[in-house]
Amino acid sequence: MQDVAGYDVLLCQNVTDIDDKIILRSSAEKVPFLEFARKYEAEFNHAIYGLLGCRPPDITTRVTDYVTEIISFIEVLIRNGVAYESQGSVYFSVSSFESQGHRYGKLLPEQIGNSVLLAEGEGALSAEGAEKRAAADFALWKRTKGSVQLCDGTSAAIEEPFWQSPWGKGRPGWHIECSAMAHAALGAFRNKDSSSGPGPGELDVHAGGVDLKFPHHDNEIAQSEGFLGRAPQQWVNYWLHTGHLNIRGQKMSKSKKNFVTVEEALRSCSSRQLRLLFLLHKYNATMDFTAAEAGGASSSLEQAEAAERLLVEFFHNAKAALRQLGGDQRPPAEDELQLRGRLLHTQAAVRAALLNDFDTPAALALLQELVRDCNRYMDRDRDRDLKDQRPLCAASLTAVAGYVTAVLRTFGLTEGGSEMGFGSAPGAEGEGGREKTLSPLLDVLSRFREAVRQAAISGNCGAVLSLADELRDDVLPDLGVRMEDKGSGAEAVTVWKLEDAGVLQRERQQKEAARAAKELQRQEAARKLAEKDDRAKIPPSEMFLGQSDLYASWDADGFPTSDKSGQPLSKAAIKKLQKEVAKQKEAYEKYQSDYPLLLEVVFNVDQALFKRPLSALQILPLPLLANGSNGKIKEMNFIMQKIIKQQLTRILKSMQELDSIESVSAVTSASLLLNRAAALLMLLQYREALSDCEKAISLDSSNSKAHFRKATSLKGLGRLEEAVRVLNIGLALDPKSGTALMEKEALNKAILQLSEAKQLMKDRKFRLALNKSDELARAIGAGSNSREVSLLRLEALLELSRVEEAYNLSNSMMKTASNGDVELLRLRALCFLEMGDLENAVKHLQQAVRSDPDNSDLRAVFKSVKALDDQKNGGDAHFKAGRFAEAEDLWTQALVLAQGRRTICSRLHLNRATARQRLDRLEDAVRDCNVAVGFNPSYLKAFLRRADCLLALGGPERIQQAISDLESAMELENEEDAVKSLRLKIKKAKVALKRSKQKDLYAVLGVTQAASESEIKSAYRKAALRFHPDKQASKSEEEKKLAEATFKSIGEAYEVLSNPEKKAKYDQGVELEDLDNPHAGHEGHSHGGHGGIDPNILFQMFMQQQGR
C-alpha cells in the first residue's frame, strides 16, 4: 500500500492477552495468565518478524494495557442505549442497536442466529443465558465468578483475573477489546473534519481471518457504530479477510493434529520460499501447504521453489553478464527496444494487479514472464560463434533486473538497499567484518592450495583434477558458492554464482541420492550377471542331479526320468526339460570359450595379491574398467571382485599360522600382522584388523603404519576421537605422511559434524540433523558401523516419521549390537510402536528396562506402551465376545495413550468405527473412519468400513461418498476376486444413488419395497380415497391444491408399482420418464417419455376392477 498505492500507512496490531481460552490453558498449566500470553506472543513475533522477516507494526496494543479505555468505551455504549448491565456483567443489545437504524450482521447476515458460532464467540467461561435479554446479545464485560460451568457440564474452581469497574470485579469480553483499542490507538490520527483516508470510516482497513467474520467482526462493527452513535455510521471502509491454510487438503488445526508452525515449515524450506508460497496464492483464498514427497505430484512448496530458482538464476546470469560488459553503454538495438517495451508493459500490469485487491499471484506471474523474456534476450547468441555474437545492452539489463528487484523488495523478499537481486546477508563493517566474511573462503583456499601442492610434489595430476572437482562439488556449496564450468577443453570458462548454502546442500544431497540409486542398480545388475555366470559353469549333465526334491531317478546323461514319487515324466515335462538343457548347453559352451582368459586373469591376481596385496586391489580393477568395451572382460568384472575377495580370504587363512610361529623376529611378525590387517580392512572387518594392529604395535611400537592402520580400524568402528589420538602418535613418527594428515583433517571435521548433529537433535531440527549424520557417515567411510552415528540417524528418522528406513537401520544395528544396548532397544521399540506392532514394542522396552532398571524415563515409556497394549487387547477381547460398548470404551482409552501415533491410531479409530457400527451409531463410525483415513490415506479397510456406514445412512451425498470410497478401495486392492466383488458393490451403490435421487414411490403409498401386490393395492385405495378431489369440497383453495398434487403423486406411484415390469425398472434406478422405454435399464438407451395416466381415470379404472 505504501510502495504501490502511495498511502501513508499506520499499522496497528491487536494482541489478546486475556480471554477464556488463555485463562483455562494457563490454569491447566499452573502459570500466571500474563506469563502464558507473553510466551505465545513472543513466539509469534519471533516467527513472523524474526524468521519470516515481515515488517513489524507501528503500534501494538494489548488488552491488559487498555482496560481503562475499554471500560470508558462500554460506558458510552450504555449511555447511547445499546448496552445494559445484568448481575455484574454488561451485554450489548442487538435489538436496541437495530432500533436506532443500524443493521446488525453486515458481513455474514445468513449466520445470524447460529447458536454454535454465538456460543464460540462468548467463550467457555461465559455466564448462563439467564443474564442476557436475548440470545443474540453478547458480553462486553464479564463479572468474576468463584466457580464456572465448563462446556462438558462440570463445575471447576478457576481463578479468573479481574479489574475493578462501575459494575464490580470483572474483565473485558472478547469482541469489545478490538473496537475500544482501535479507537483509542488510531482515533487520534484521523482528521474528523477532512477525512484523511479514502473513505468516511474511522478505520481505512481492518484485516483478519475469514473464520472471524461472524460473530467477532460483525460484533466489532456493531460496538463501534453504537459507540459513534450516528446511524448509519460506517466504522471500517475495507475488510480484508484472509483464507484458511490447509494441510494436505484439510484445514490446519491442532485438533486434527496437522498443525505446522513457521519454525517447523522452515525445516523443509527457506523463509524466502515460504513467503513466495504465500504470494503465489491470493490472500483471501484457501491455501494448501504440501511438502514434496518421493514419486508424488508437484507440491505447493515445489511451486515456490521453482519460482525462486527462476528468479535466482536470472539474477546470477544478469550479474555475470553485467560484470563482463563493464561500463558498456551502447545504444539499444531492436531487441533491446522490444525488451524495454515489455518492461513498460509489465510495470503497468503489475501495478494494476496489485491495485486489484492485492492480486499477488497475477503480479508474480507477470514478473516471471518478464524474467523469461530477459533470459531469452541474454541467451540469443548462445549458439553463435564468439566472433558473431553481439554484446548485450547493459542499460536494458540493469533496468529489468532493477525493476524485478524493486518489486521483490516491495514483497519483502529482499534485503533493503540498492543491491541488485536478493542481496546477501548483511555483515559488519570494517576490518573485523572483512575477516568474518573472508575467513571461511580463505580457510578453504589455504587447504586447497596445500592439497594441490602435495599432489604436485608427488606428480599425481589425477589428484589435482579430483581436488578441483571436490572444491566445486563439495566445499564451495557449503559456503553458498555455485561454480559452473562453461564449455570444455582449453576454451572452458568457470563462472561463480552466489547461492543459498541450504539450497546447494539439498541439490548435492539429491545428486548423491541419485548416484546411490544408480550404484544400487549397478550392484543388482552385477549380482544378476554373477548368478548367470555361476549357472553357466554347471555342465548340462549335472544341472538336475541335485534336485532330489523334484526327481527320483536320472539317466546316464543326468536327465531326469521320473518325478519324486517315482512316476515316469510326462511328454510335456520331458519337452520342457529338454528346452532347459539346450539353453544350459549354449551358456556352458560360451563359458568354456571364455575360460582360458579367466584363468590368466586369476593367475595374475593371485600373484599380485600374494606379493603386493594392497597394490593389487588398487591397480587390478583399472584395466577391467578401461577395457569395458571388451564384452568378455566386462562380464567378468564382477567375478574379478569375487576372486579378489576369495584371494584375500586365502591370505587370511595362510596368515592364521602367524600366532604359532615363534622363530620369526618381532619386526617381521609385526609386518606380517600389518599385512593381514590391511587385508582385513579391505574386507571391512574392523575389529579383527584392530586386534592385529594392536599386536603389531606391541611388537614394534615405532612402526608408523601400525598406528595409521589402527586409526583406520578405529574410524571404521566409529571411535573417532580415539582414532585422532592414534593418528597423532603415527604422525609423531612420520610427520610428512600426506595421507595421514588429510585423514586427521577429515576425522576432526567428522568429530565437529557429530557435535553439530547432536546439537541439531537437541534443537529439534531433525531433518538438518539427519543430513549432518549422512555427511558424517560418508566422511567416516563405507562399512563403518559407528554406534553413535547410527543411533543419531535412527532417532532422526523416527522423528521425521520415516519409519521403514528407521526399522531397517535398527535391524542392521541389532546384528552387531550387544543384548543390553538400552538406547537401541528403546529406539527399535519406538519403530515397532510407529508400525503398530505393540507386542514387539512391549518386548523390546521390557528388555531395555531389565538392562537399565534405574532409568525412570525408560520405565515410564514402558508403562505407557504396556498400558496401551493392554487397553487395545482388552478392546479386542470384548469385541470378539460381542460386548461392543465395552470394546469402544477401551479403544477410546487406548487412543488417549497412543498420543497421535499414525499407524496405531488409524487402527484404533477403525476398530472403534466397527464397534460403533455394530451399535448402530453410524455417524460416529463415519467420523472415526475419516480420522483413520487421515492418518493413513492408503488404509483399505477404513475406506470399506466408511462406505458401508455411508450406504447404510443413505442419501445422495453419502452414497456418492461411499462410491468414491469403494473406488479408492478398488485402486488399493490387489486380489482379483476382491476387485470383482468391489466392482459389483459399486454397481449396486450407483443404482442406490439413482434411487436416492428419485421420488420415493414406496413412501408415497406408505409401503416398503418388499410389499406384495395386494398390499400395494390396499395402500393405494386408502390414500386415493383420502386425497380424492371429491373429498376436498370443504377445504380452502390452498388445501385443495395440495391435495390435488398429492392425489396425482399417489396415482403416479400406483401406476408404476402395480406394473411388474415398470416396478422392476424403477427398482434398478431407471428414471421415471424412462419407464415406458423398452430399452431402459440397459447401457446406451435413449430416453423415452413417461407421460403417465390421468389420476382420475386411473382411480376410476381401479375402482371398476375392484368392483368386478
Side-chain angles (χ1 to χ4, degrees):
M1 293 178 71
Q2 288 178 327
D3 296 348
V4 178
Y7 290 123
D8 291 328
V9 177
L10 184 70
L11 178 62
C12 177
Q13 171 184 274
N14 285 355
V15 175
T16 299
D17 56 0
I18 175 69
D19 72 353
D20 291 11
K21 291 180 181 178
I22 292 173
I23 294 170
L24 289 170
R25 285 280 305 278
S26 61
S27 297
E29 297 183 18
K30 294 181 173 56
V31 296
F33 81 94
L34 212 51
E35 179 183 329
F36 180 85
R38 293 292 181 267
K39 171 192 171 186
Y40 285 101
E41 181 187 351
E43 288 185 6
F44 171 84
N45 289 338
H46 172 65
I48 302 303
Y49 309 123
L51 298 179
L52 289 183
C54 295
R55 189 181 301 177
D58 300 294
I59 302 172
T60 296
T61 58
R62 299 175 182 84
V63 179
T64 54
D65 295 334
Y66 281 80
V67 175
T68 302
E69 289 81 357
I70 292 172
I71 291 172
S72 299
F73 197 97
I74 295 173
E75 288 178 322
V76 172
L77 291 176
I78 294 174
R79 286 198 302 271
N80 288 349
V82 292
Y84 59 90
E85 185 270 341
S86 176
Q87 301 180 32
S89 296
V90 179
Y91 294 92
F92 187 88
S93 173
V94 173
S95 60
S96 299
F97 174 71
E98 290 182 324
S99 68
Q100 295 182 8
H102 297 283
R103 183 163 60 89
Y104 178 70
K106 290 182 177 180
L107 299 179
L108 278 180
E110 66 271 18
Q111 293 296 348
I112 296 174
N114 187 323
S115 58
V116 175
L117 294 178
L118 289 171
E120 287 179 359
E122 289 296 83
L125 299 179
S126 295
E128 296 179 1
E131 289 188 1
K132 298 197 294 185
R133 295 175 183 172
D137 295 351
F138 53 90
L140 303 174
W141 184 265
K142 295 185 175 184
R143 66 179 174 84
T144 301
K145 301 172 285 298
S147 64
V148 296
Q149 191 81 9
L150 300 179
C151 56
D152 59 1
T154 61
S155 294
I158 292 178
E159 186 176 347
E160 294 186 70
F162 65 86
W163 287 261
Q164 291 290 351
S165 77
W167 318 285
K169 295 179 180 179
R171 55 187 170 81
W174 176 35
H175 312 297
I176 189 64
E177 61 187 50
C178 298
S179 298
M181 290 194 297
H183 174 76
L186 299 177
F189 293 98
R190 176 169 290 281
N191 186 332
K192 301 299 181 186
D193 297 327
S194 59
S195 176
S196 61
E202 188 170 69
L203 301 183
D204 291 314
V205 179
H206 190 312
V210 67
D211 51 332
L212 297 179
K213 278 188 176 182
F214 184 88
H216 185 54
H217 288 162
D218 270 324
N219 287 352
E220 283 187 50
I221 294 172
Q223 292 164 163
S224 299
E225 291 183 357
F227 176 85
L228 295 171
R230 299 182 300 277
Q233 175 63 38
Q234 183 169 290
W235 178 49
V236 173
N237 293 330
Y238 300 100
W239 285 90
L240 298 186
H241 286 106
T242 57
H244 286 307
L245 174 61
N246 286 355
I247 305 295
R248 298 183 182 280
Q250 290 189 321
K251 179 185 174 183
M252 184 174 79
S253 67
K254 289 185 177 179
S255 61
K256 294 181 180 178
K257 300 192 183 300
N258 64 348
F259 194 83
V260 178
T261 65
V262 170
E263 188 171 12
E264 288 169 344
L266 291 179
R267 292 172 192 162
S268 57
C269 65
S270 67
S271 59
R272 184 197 299 158
Q273 289 167 349
L274 195 57
R275 292 190 67 164
L276 262 172
L277 175 60
F278 296 149
L279 289 165
L280 285 167
H281 293 77
K282 190 77 181 292
Y283 76 89
N284 56 3
T286 298
M287 193 191 87
D288 194 63
F289 179 84
T290 51
E293 295 182 356
S298 175
S299 70
S300 58
L301 189 54
E302 283 178 326
Q303 295 168 19
E305 290 171 348
E308 184 192 43
R309 278 196 300 272
L310 175 68
L311 294 167
V312 168
E313 194 63 23
F314 164 69
F315 287 129
H316 285 329
N317 292 332
K319 288 178 180 179
L322 289 171
R323 283 197 299 269
Q324 292 176 356
L325 290 170
D328 176 58
Q329 294 295 332
R330 69 174 182 83
E334 180 63 27
D335 47 1
E336 279 95 21
L337 292 175
Q338 291 177 359
L339 183 62
R340 286 279 188 166
R342 181 63 182 166
L343 172 59
L344 292 173
H345 167 77
T346 303
Q347 289 172 330
V350 167
R351 176 179 172 81
L354 294 178
L355 293 179
N356 181 21
D357 197 17
F358 305 105
D359 194 350
T360 56
L364 273 178
L366 290 163
L367 210 63
Q368 290 178 80
E369 189 55 40
L370 175 64
V371 165
R372 293 187 183 97
D373 285 342
C374 194
N375 283 338
R376 285 189 282 270
Y377 166 70
M378 288 189 285
D379 291 345
R380 64 183 184 182
D381 293 330
R382 173 169 290 180
D383 298 328
R384 299 187 187 182
D385 293 336
L386 189 62
K387 63 179 182 297
D388 296 329
Q389 293 181 3
R390 292 185 295 109
L392 300 172
C393 177
S396 299
L397 268 181
T398 303
V400 173
Y403 172 70
V404 174
T405 302
V407 176
L408 296 180
R409 187 175 297 118
T410 297
F411 289 155
L413 296 174
T414 68
E415 298 289 338
S418 59
E419 184 179 357
M420 180 187 297
F422 285 116
S424 55
E429 295 295 330
E431 194 62 32
R434 289 182 66 243
E435 182 178 351
K436 182 179 178 181
T437 303
L438 294 176
S439 286
L441 289 168
L442 292 175
D443 289 342
V444 165
L445 182 62
S446 59
R447 285 196 297 268
F448 176 70
R449 178 184 177 277
E450 180 60 26
V452 169
R453 194 171 68 84
Q454 292 289 342
I457 292 171
S458 63
N460 190 347
C461 294
V464 174
L465 293 174
S466 297
L467 287 167
D469 290 343
E470 181 185 357
L471 179 71
R472 178 194 62 201
D473 299 334
D474 299 330
V475 179
L476 290 179
D478 289 338
L479 300 176
V481 178
R482 185 197 299 275
M483 189 171 281
E484 296 178 350
D485 297 329
K486 304 286 187 179
S488 60
E491 297 180 357
V493 176
T494 301
V495 177
W496 60 264
K497 301 175 180 178
L498 294 180
E499 180 64 276
D500 182 76
V503 172
L504 296 177
Q505 288 165 358
R506 285 194 290 273
E507 287 181 3
R508 183 173 62 198
Q509 290 161 11
Q510 291 168 358
K511 290 177 182 177
E512 288 171 353
R515 279 199 295 268
K518 191 173 182 179
E519 175 62 19
L520 286 175
Q521 292 176 352
R522 188 198 66 76
Q523 291 177 4
E524 179 64 15
R527 183 188 64 78
K528 291 180 179 179
L529 183 64
E531 289 178 355
K532 177 183 176 183
D533 189 75
D534 287 341
R535 289 194 300 270
K537 295 177 185 177
I538 303 172
S541 59
E542 299 176 8
M543 62 184 293
F544 298 117
L545 294 180
Q547 301 180 13
S548 56
D549 58 329
L550 298 176
Y551 310 110
S553 60
W554 299 262
D555 62 15
D557 294 326
F559 193 87
T561 56
S562 62
D563 61 21
K564 62 181 181 181
S565 62
Q567 296 296 319
L569 295 178
S570 65
K571 289 183 179 180
I574 291 172
K575 187 175 181 180
K576 181 180 177 183
L577 293 177
Q578 285 173 341
K579 289 182 179 179
E580 291 183 24
V581 170
K583 189 176 179 181
Q584 180 65 20
K585 182 178 179 182
E586 181 182 354
Y588 182 70
E589 288 174 351
K590 185 178 184 302
Y591 170 75
Q592 289 291 97
S593 66
D594 291 340
Y595 194 66
L597 175 62
L598 180 61
L599 287 177
E600 181 182 352
V601 172
V602 170
F603 175 78
N604 291 336
V605 171
D606 190 64
Q607 293 297 311
L609 280 171
F610 275 104
K611 291 177 182 178
R612 297 181 64 194
L614 290 176
S615 300
L617 281 182
Q618 294 169 357
I619 297 170
L620 279 175
L622 295 180
L624 293 177
L625 296 175
N627 295 295
S629 58
N630 184 321
K632 295 179 180 178
I633 294 181
K634 187 175 181 180
E635 289 181 10
M636 293 175 188
N637 193 23
F638 186 77
I639 301 171
M640 269 292 301
Q641 296 177 22
K642 290 182 65 176
I643 293 168
I644 291 171
K645 190 169 182 178
Q646 291 167 2
Q647 296 305 315
L648 284 170
T649 306
R650 285 177 54 191
I651 293 173
L652 294 178
K653 288 181 178 178
S654 302
M655 289 184 175
Q656 296 302 328
E657 300 175 6
L658 282 174
D659 297 330
S660 61
I661 296 176
E662 298 178 358
S663 58
V664 297
S665 67
V667 174
T668 303
S669 181
S671 179
L672 291 171
L673 284 164
L674 288 176
N675 283 342
R676 184 166 72 180
L680 287 164
L681 286 172
M682 284 182 277
L683 290 171
L684 307 182
Q685 297 181 21
Y686 297 112
R687 296 183 191 280
E688 295 80 357
L690 178 61
S691 175
D692 274 353
C693 291
E694 289 175 338
K695 289 178 183 177
I697 291 171
S698 68
L699 292 170
D700 182 10
S701 60
S702 64
N703 191 326
S704 60
K705 286 186 178 180
H707 295 286
F708 293 153
R709 288 183 188 169
K710 180 181 178 182
T712 304
S713 304
L714 290 168
K715 175 186 171 184
L717 293 169
R719 294 155 61 178
L720 305 182
E721 294 182 355
E722 194 175 347
V724 172
R725 288 195 293 272
V726 173
L727 261 180
N728 285 333
I729 297 172
L731 283 168
L733 298 169
D734 183 9
K736 294 184 178 181
S737 174
T739 303
L741 286 169
M742 293 177 68
E743 182 72 1
K744 179 182 175 181
E745 184 179 355
L747 279 169
N748 283 327
K749 183 179 179 181
I751 292 170
L752 179 61
Q753 287 176 323
L754 180 59
S755 175
E756 291 173 349
K758 289 179 179 178
Q759 186 58 47
L760 288 168
M761 288 297 293
K762 289 181 181 178
D763 296 340
R764 300 188 64 78
K765 297 179 179 178
F766 305 118
R767 194 177 305 280
L768 293 175
L770 181 62
N771 293 341
K772 186 66 69 175
S773 68
D774 288 339
E775 290 177 23
L776 182 55
R778 288 192 294 272
I780 294 175
S784 168
N785 53 3
S786 168
R787 174 184 176 275
E788 198 168 12
V789 176
S790 297
L791 285 175
L792 192 147
R793 291 192 75 251
L794 178 55
E795 187 171 7
L797 287 168
L798 276 171
E799 292 288 355
L800 292 169
S801 300
R802 291 161 61 175
V803 181
E804 185 176 356
E805 293 176 67
Y807 175 69
N808 291 336
L809 177 58
S810 72
N811 279 346
S812 63
M813 291 180 68
M814 289 294 288
K815 294 175 183 177
T816 57
S818 61
N819 292 331
D821 192 332
V822 174
E823 186 62 12
L824 177 57
L825 287 169
R826 182 185 74 83
L827 292 174
R828 186 167 166 80
L830 293 180
C831 287
F832 283 118
L833 185 58
E834 294 293 345
M835 293 161 62
D837 188 346
L838 291 174
E839 183 179 355
N840 270 314
V842 170
K843 286 180 180 177
H844 280 71
L845 286 171
Q846 193 170 34
Q847 187 178 349
V849 169
R850 287 172 182 166
S851 301
D852 188 4
D854 297 329
N855 191 327
S856 58
D857 292 338
L858 186 63
R859 287 202 313 274
V861 173
F862 169 67
K863 184 178 179 181
S864 173
V865 176
K866 182 69 168 63
L868 171 59
D869 189 38
D870 291 343
Q871 299 282 28
K872 191 259 183 190
N873 291 337
D876 293 348
H878 279 303
F879 186 85
K880 289 177 182 177
R883 297 187 291 272
F884 305 124
E886 290 84 350
E888 179 193 12
D889 289 341
L890 286 177
W891 285 331
T892 300
Q893 296 172 37
L895 278 167
V896 175
L897 295 170
Q899 298 177 345
R901 299 185 186 278
R902 301 182 69 85
T903 303
I904 190 65
C905 280
S906 62
R907 293 178 183 176
L908 286 169
H909 275 288
L910 181 62
N911 287 354
R912 192 168 70 175
T914 309
R916 288 174 167 177
Q917 184 184 19
R918 297 291 179 89
L919 294 168
D920 203 28
R921 288 164 52 195
L922 298 178
E923 293 281 7
D924 291 337
V926 169
R927 281 191 284 272
D928 268 327
C929 291
N930 291 342
V931 178
V933 171
F935 276 121
N936 182 3
S938 301
Y939 203 174
L940 173 63
K941 291 182 180 179
F943 282 112
L944 293 174
R945 180 69 57 200
R946 185 165 68 181
D948 287 343
C949 295
L950 290 168
L951 287 171
L953 286 167
E957 291 184 4
R958 292 192 179 105
I959 296 174
Q960 184 62 60
Q961 178 61 45
I963 292 171
S964 177
D965 281 349
L966 292 170
E967 289 171 344
S968 298
M970 193 163 69
E971 291 177 3
L972 296 168
E973 183 59 76
N974 296 320
E975 295 293 332
E976 187 175 347
D977 291 341
V979 170
K980 289 181 180 178
S981 175
L982 284 169
R983 284 201 185 99
L984 181 61
K985 201 167 185 178
I986 290 171
K987 186 176 181 181
K988 291 180 178 178
K990 288 181 177 178
V991 171
L993 179 61
K994 287 184 178 179
R995 284 284 313 279
S996 69
K997 294 178 180 179
Q998 288 180 331
K999 183 188 292 185
D1000 190 344
L1001 300 183
Y1002 292 103
V1004 171
L1005 292 183
V1007 297
T1008 66
Q1009 190 173 353
S1012 64
E1013 183 179 353
S1014 61
E1015 289 173 330
I1016 292 171
K1017 287 181 178 180
S1018 176
Y1020 170 65
R1021 178 186 178 89
K1022 182 178 178 181
L1025 285 171
R1026 179 184 173 189
F1027 290 98
H1028 194 279
D1030 293 347
K1031 300 280 187 179
Q1032 315 303 317
S1034 62
K1035 301 291 179 66
S1036 66
E1037 288 301 318
E1038 187 175 347
E1039 289 174 325
K1040 287 179 180 179
K1041 287 181 180 179
L1042 181 61
E1044 183 181 358
T1046 305
F1047 182 69
K1048 184 177 179 181
S1049 295
I1050 292 167
E1052 183 182 42
Y1054 178 69
E1055 181 192 358
V1056 173
L1057 299 182
S1058 63
N1059 185 319
E1061 183 180 350
K1062 290 183 179 180
K1063 181 177 182 294
K1065 291 180 181 179
Y1066 172 76
D1067 289 342
Q1068 293 174 16
V1070 176
E1071 300 289 343
L1072 291 176
E1073 61 268 21
D1074 290 335
L1075 291 177
D1076 290 327
N1077 186 342
H1079 302 289
H1082 302 283
E1083 300 246 347
H1085 74 272
S1086 59
H1087 290 286
H1090 173 67
I1093 301 176
D1094 184 281
N1096 290 293
I1097 297 174
L1098 178 67
F1099 181 72
Q1100 292 172 11
M1101 293 170 59
F1102 173 81
M1103 297 304 292
Q1104 290 171 5
Q1105 291 172 357
Q1106 295 294 304
R1108 288 199 299 266

